[in-house]
Amino acid sequence: MTVTDPATADAPGTGDARRAGVARPSPPRRRRGATAGGAAVWLLAPGGLLTLTVIVVPFVVALVMSLLDLDQYTFRQWLSAPFVGVDNYVEAVGRTSLPHAIWVSGSAAVIATLLALPLGVAAALTTHLPFRGRSLIRSLYLIPYVLPAFVVGTIWRIILQPDGVANQGLATVGITGGLWLNGPKSYLALIVVQAWSGWPLVYLLALAGLQGIDDSLHEAAALDGAQWRAKLRHLILPLLRPPVALAAIISLLHMVNSFTLPFVLFGVPSPHDVEVLPVLTYVESFQNLRFGLSAAMAVISLVLILVPLLVYLRTVRLDEPEAAA
């Protein structure tokens, strides 16, 4: 019994070609699809090679090093170093100050980000509308963002000296400053400096969000008689939520991974109150020469920052349908 394809049964010439045993040419759509797929592979190849070189290979090397008893004696032949399994991870969590460093890095980054958000949004609102000298004000706002972290740390280290500008300014209002680069107040100094250097990023993204709001929405709000405060609450701030949320996640990731600023500001070894995770990893690796232990700390820090990173990636992915719409 012969089964005839209903989709091709009525096509002219189809039955004659089958009976004659003539092979039909491949559909042109399939050839175009194969050509497009090959072109896509070649276009993605440089990015894939770069990802493999910059991300995958270093991560695999760090993962292997974290499982070895690697120090200054075994570093030359590190592939033959003693295999210790997860002992480096157990030692990092239980017998070092890694949990304290994670707490300092995470809490300082969260507080500094929360301080930077209103500063950046307020600066964007004040410079969004045209006025004389707006370009100069915008340029001044970007100074903390364009300065290298080494310069920012050096400037604030001078300001926060015991006889520096900070204590002199506080003395004029009757407040005793004290030590800002050592002791419990160093944690407050770390938050202030991180917030100062991080708020321009929030400012830039919030300003871009303001410029993306359609003028017709402002005109419709004006026709409805909405005052500035009502327009800010019900129109501007809701539309600014996506760029500000993205700025918060990027700032949080940057501050948690910040190495140069705490390194320059407090020196090495840093005070216990501001012993952040990147500096602790550096000390274990290049001062104590415990390369296996520092590699385990690096892997743990990578796992920790994956949480806000996944939130960031999900935020970007959720924006795609809105952009496509």
Side-chain angles (χ1 to χ4, degrees):
M1 179 178 181
T2 304
V3 179
T4 304
D5 188 358
T8 59
D10 298 333
T14 303
D16 298 339
R18 286 181 178 175
R19 285 191 296 271
V22 178
R24 290 182 300 168
S26 301
R29 180 178 299 176
R30 179 174 297 179
R31 290 203 301 269
R32 286 198 299 269
T35 305
V41 170
W42 282 108
L43 289 175
L44 293 175
L49 183 60
L50 183 63
T51 303
L52 183 67
T53 306
V54 177
I55 298 178
V56 177
V57 172
F59 174 74
V60 172
V61 172
L63 191 61
V64 172
M65 290 176 62
S66 68
L67 303 176
L68 303 176
D69 185 14
L70 196 61
D71 53 20
Q72 69 271 29
Y73 303 108
T74 57
F75 185 71
R76 282 191 171 184
Q77 298 177 345
W78 64 279
L79 285 177
S80 60
F83 181 79
V84 295
V86 297
D87 287 354
N88 285 328
Y89 293 92
V90 175
E91 181 180 357
V93 175
R95 297 194 293 273
T96 67
S97 56
L98 179 67
H100 172 76
I102 292 174
W103 164 252
V104 172
S105 297
S107 60
V110 170
I111 297 174
T113 301
L114 292 178
L115 291 176
L117 288 180
L119 288 176
V121 174
L125 291 173
T126 55
T127 59
H128 175 56
L129 298 177
F131 61 89
R132 192 172 184 179
R134 185 178 66 170
S135 300
L136 177 62
I137 298 298
R138 285 182 172 181
S139 302
L140 293 177
Y141 282 170
L142 292 179
I143 288 179
Y145 185 69
V146 299
L147 286 177
F150 179 82
V151 177
V152 173
T154 303
I155 293 174
W156 276 98
R157 186 177 178 86
I158 297 173
I159 293 174
L160 297 176
Q161 291 292 327
D163 56 347
V165 178
N167 281 343
Q168 293 179 8
L170 292 174
T172 58
V173 294
I175 299 176
T176 302
L179 296 175
W180 295 101
L181 300 177
N182 199 356
K185 290 182 179 178
S186 59
Y187 181 74
L188 179 60
L190 175 64
I191 293 173
V192 170
V193 177
Q194 281 190 334
W196 184 84
S197 63
W199 73 266
L201 176 63
V202 182
Y203 163 69
L204 284 176
L205 292 180
L207 187 61
L210 286 174
Q211 293 176 346
I213 298 177
D214 197 343
D215 292 338
S216 61
L217 297 177
H218 292 283
E219 295 173 357
L223 291 176
D224 291 340
Q227 300 298 322
W228 183 85
R229 181 174 299 180
K231 191 168 68 172
L232 176 66
R233 179 180 179 183
H234 299 290
L235 175 63
I236 296 177
L237 290 182
L239 292 177
L240 280 183
R241 190 172 58 183
V244 171
L246 184 61
I249 295 173
I250 296 176
S251 297
L252 187 64
L253 289 172
H254 175 71
M255 292 177 185
V256 168
N257 286 321
S258 178
F259 169 78
T260 306
L261 188 58
F263 181 85
V264 176
L265 191 60
F266 302 105
V268 175
S270 57
H272 181 70
D273 297 281
V274 287
E275 191 176 40
V276 295
L277 183 56
V279 175
L280 177 64
T281 305
Y282 169 83
V283 170
E284 290 294 339
S285 181
F286 296 102
Q287 287 195 347
N288 299 333
L289 303 179
R290 298 288 309 276
F291 303 109
L293 180 62
S294 64
M297 290 181 175
V299 173
I300 293 174
S301 64
L302 177 62
V303 173
L304 292 176
I305 65 172
L306 277 180
V307 177
L309 181 61
L310 292 177
V311 175
Y312 165 71
L313 294 177
R314 181 170 178 79
T315 302
V316 174
R317 187 175 64 86
L318 289 177
D319 285 341
E320 289 179 354
E322 297 178 2

